[in-house]
């Protein structure tokens, strides 16, 4: 096999599989011409609501705007503490800070890379010491694995905080029989091309069972509109998903359950063949991952050398994330739970994500596994 054909995310093979249906879907939009809020947008929202088992799906311009729309609708403002894991993509904390509220960084669990409930308790104390009002929590389902909601929910209730799930990486996953999207007060996801369900540009969605919250978000999504387009009852943004992206997502959504199955097959195979020699991801009982990433840990400062050598053999890997948010220049001033976030710092130096897209062939995967085993034995 030609190792140079391995892509970290292979959208070309997915496009081949989608075939003419995708081209026809795009053509239909070009013909009806309703590029903004065309019929495909509502159709997609209804399909996603059915899939997640929620009353409302509101598509959005991207995952970051999904978070912003939700936080605006909940009137998050200066003086509010919003708890975010430090080991995540910046957007999680960024929208909190943008609204003038304070992201308070929480450490992660070693085994899951997700928010540590004990660190969250410590962070609530830290926030109060800073004179902030604990308002809400944004757990992130990092790499596609749902956070430990059964432990996080009681902490939220005890302190009367809302929970907004950042499900940007976990659409399609389940936690104790609940689909991602139906957990917490409200959830946000992303359809960025490389996410488990991606479009061909920017896109995102919000899921909730709360009727009032949904109607406020709907208004904010179109400049705070009231009874019609030129009635503005609040400050909003332009946060809509394009009709073309909705049409593309409808086609991709047809094959999505099969793609998630395929990601699980590939992840299981990695774990079986690598579990003895390197630290592989742990999925707890009664939880499934969407496998946005398959992330191993290579400790002892060897990670970057292993990644470099794999790259020279045509094997793409990625480091999500090389620096936790509490150490980033833009976020250094914000409070950190208790005595800091040491687990996030170790993770940043150890993590390495391997190709896990649904179109990775068994031969390609064997080549990745053999090369990695060789690196780990000789490095
Ligand atoms: C991708 C991502 C986002 C933002 O989504 P965009 O669509 O890129 O704006 C937010 N949070 C997390 C955890 C993400 O991975």
């Amino acid at each position: 096999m030609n190792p140079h054909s391995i892509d970290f995310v292979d959208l070309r093979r997915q496009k081949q599989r989608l075939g003419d249906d995708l081209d026809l879907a795009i053509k239909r939009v070009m013909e009806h011409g309703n590029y903004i809020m065309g019929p495909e947008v509502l159709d997609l929202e209804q399909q996603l609501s059915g899939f997640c088992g929620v009353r409302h799906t509101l598509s959005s311009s991207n995952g970051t705007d999904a978070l912003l729309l939700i936080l605006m609708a909940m009137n998050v403002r200066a003086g509010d503490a919003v708890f975010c894991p430090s080991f995540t993509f910046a957007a999680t904390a960024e929208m909190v800070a943008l609204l003038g509220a304070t992201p308070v960084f929480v450490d992660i669990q070693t085994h899951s890379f997700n928010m540590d409930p004990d660190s969250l308790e410590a962070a609530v104390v830290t926030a109060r010491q800073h004179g902030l009002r604990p308002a809400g929590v944004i757990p992130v389902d990092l790499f596609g694995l749902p956070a430990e909601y059964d432990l996080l929910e009681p902490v939220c209730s005890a302190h009367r905080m809302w929970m907004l799930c950042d499900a940007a990486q976990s659409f399609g996953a389940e936690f104790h029989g609940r689909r991602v999207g139906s957990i917490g007060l409200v959830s946000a996801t992303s359809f960025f091309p490389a996410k488990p369900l991606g479009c061909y540009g920017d896109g995102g969605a919000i899921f909730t069972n709360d009727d009032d919250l949904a109607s406020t978000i709907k208004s904010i999504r179109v400049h705070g509109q009231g009874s019609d387009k030129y009635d503005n009852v609040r400050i909003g943004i332009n946060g809509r998903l394009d009709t073309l992206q909705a049409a593309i997502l409808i086609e991709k959504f047809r094959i999505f359950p099969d793609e998630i199955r395929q990601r699980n097959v590939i992840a299981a195979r990695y774990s079986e063949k690598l579990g003895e020699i390197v630290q592989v991801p742990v999925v707890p009982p009664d939880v499934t991952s969407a496998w946005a990433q398959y992330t191993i840990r290579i400790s002892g400062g060897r990670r970057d050398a292993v990644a470099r050598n794999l790259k020279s053999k045509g094997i793409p890997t990625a480091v999500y994330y090389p620096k936790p948010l509490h150490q980033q220049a833009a976020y250094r001033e914000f409070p950190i739970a208790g005595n800091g976030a040491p687990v996030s710092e170790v993770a940043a130096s150890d993590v390495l994500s391997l190709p896990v897209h649904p179109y990775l062939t068994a031969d390609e995967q064997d080549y990745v596994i053999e090369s990695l085993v060789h690196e780990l034995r000789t490095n």
Side-chain angles (χ1 to χ4, degrees):
M1 59 142 294
N2 173 12
H4 299 291
S5 66
I6 298 180
D7 282 332
F8 192 70
V9 175
D10 197 327
L11 296 177
R12 271 174 306 129
R13 290 181 193 173
Q14 184 196 51
K15 169 88 171 54
Q16 269 164 21
R17 174 179 178 183
L18 291 164
D20 291 345
D21 289 348
L22 181 70
D23 297 337
L24 288 171
I26 292 169
K27 193 154 169 271
R28 275 196 299 276
V29 176
M30 301 307 290
E31 276 164 9
H32 71 53
N34 293 314
Y35 299 121
I36 301 295
M37 287 302 191
E40 286 81 0
V41 174
L42 190 61
D43 182 5
L44 174 72
E45 292 180 343
Q46 284 170 347
Q47 289 191 36
L48 298 183
S49 291
F51 179 79
C52 296
V54 293
R55 272 217 294 285
H56 306 281
T57 297
L58 296 159
S59 57
S60 63
S61 32
N62 56 63
T64 305
D65 285 346
L67 291 167
L68 178 62
L69 287 163
I70 295 166
L71 294 169
M72 286 175 77
M74 295 196 298
N75 198 18
V76 168
R77 57 192 183 278
D80 287 350
V82 177
F83 302 93
C84 309
S86 181
F87 196 62
T88 180
F89 183 63
T92 312
E94 186 180 30
M95 294 303 103
V96 174
L98 183 70
L99 292 174
T102 305
V104 177
F105 291 115
V106 179
D107 209 356
I108 54 164
Q109 300 169 309
T110 307
H111 58 277
S112 69
F113 300 111
N114 283 331
M115 185 181 273
D116 178 354
D118 294 333
S119 178
L120 175 59
E121 281 284 10
V124 172
V125 175
T126 303
R128 292 210 171 100
Q129 285 165 349
H130 280 75
L132 300 165
R133 186 183 74 88
V137 183
I138 313 184
V140 177
D141 302 336
L142 206 73
F143 305 143
L145 182 71
E148 283 204 38
Y149 290 111
D150 50 345
L151 302 180
L152 296 171
E153 280 170 339
V155 182
C156 290
S157 316
H159 299 285
R160 297 173 183 282
M161 300 186 289
W162 43 257
M163 186 159 81
L164 185 189
C165 306
D166 183 340
Q169 303 181 9
S170 61
F171 188 73
E174 284 179 35
F175 182 88
H176 297 192
R178 291 187 280 173
R179 272 260 162 80
V180 158
S182 68
I183 303 167
L185 171 65
V186 56
S187 301
T189 199
S190 165
F191 302 130
F192 182 82
K195 305 281 163 131
L197 179 60
C199 54
Y200 289 151
D202 276 312
I206 294 160
F207 309 99
T208 186
N209 282 315
D210 188 309
D211 298 339
D212 291 338
L213 185 60
S215 88
T216 307
I217 291 169
K218 223 170 171 166
S219 160
I220 296 173
R221 186 172 64 174
V222 189
H223 307 288
Q225 76 174 11
S227 53
D228 70 64
K229 203 168 162 182
Y230 299 107
D231 176 33
N232 307 107
V233 296
R234 53 171 68 78
I235 299 296
I237 63 171
N238 173 357
R240 298 172 298 231
L241 179 75
D242 290 359
T243 309
L244 268 173
Q245 298 303 340
I248 290 158
L249 283 163
I250 289 169
E251 296 309 311
K252 290 203 185 194
F253 189 53
R254 290 184 214 284
I255 61 169
F256 179 66
D258 180 60
E259 289 186 336
I260 291 289
R261 266 193 301 279
Q262 201 50 40
R263 285 177 189 268
N264 273 279
V265 168
I266 294 165
R269 200 148 172 271
Y270 272 138
S271 294
E272 184 198 320
K273 304 207 171 185
L274 295 172
E276 309 262 287
I277 58 162
V278 73
Q279 201 176 321
V280 297
V282 182
V283 178
D286 210 17
V287 178
T288 64
S289 177
W291 295 111
Q293 304 298 339
Y294 184 92
T295 304
I296 60 172
R297 297 180 81 125
I298 301 175
S299 54
R302 297 179 303 154
R303 191 259 323 266
D304 292 343
V306 169
R308 242 187 340 266
N309 293 343
L310 289 175
K311 190 177 177 200
S312 73
K313 294 176 178 173
I315 297 170
T317 60
V319 174
Y320 301 117
Y321 297 90
K323 208 190 245 190
L325 291 185
H326 70 274
Q327 294 181 322
Q328 296 276 3
Y331 297 95
R332 240 176 254 153
E333 75 203 75
F334 297 117
I336 311 167
N339 292 322
V343 184
S344 300
E345 291 173 22
V346 173
S349 67
D350 287 358
V351 289
L352 188 68
S353 300
L354 307 178
V356 71
H357 67 78
Y359 303 95
L360 191 71
T361 66
D363 282 351
E364 288 170 335
Q365 192 180 10
D366 284 340
Y367 179 68
V368 174
I369 292 165
E370 280 158 28
S371 307
L372 179 62
V373 168
H374 175 79
E375 283 309 316
L376 291 169
R377 296 235 161 95
T378 54
N379 252 281

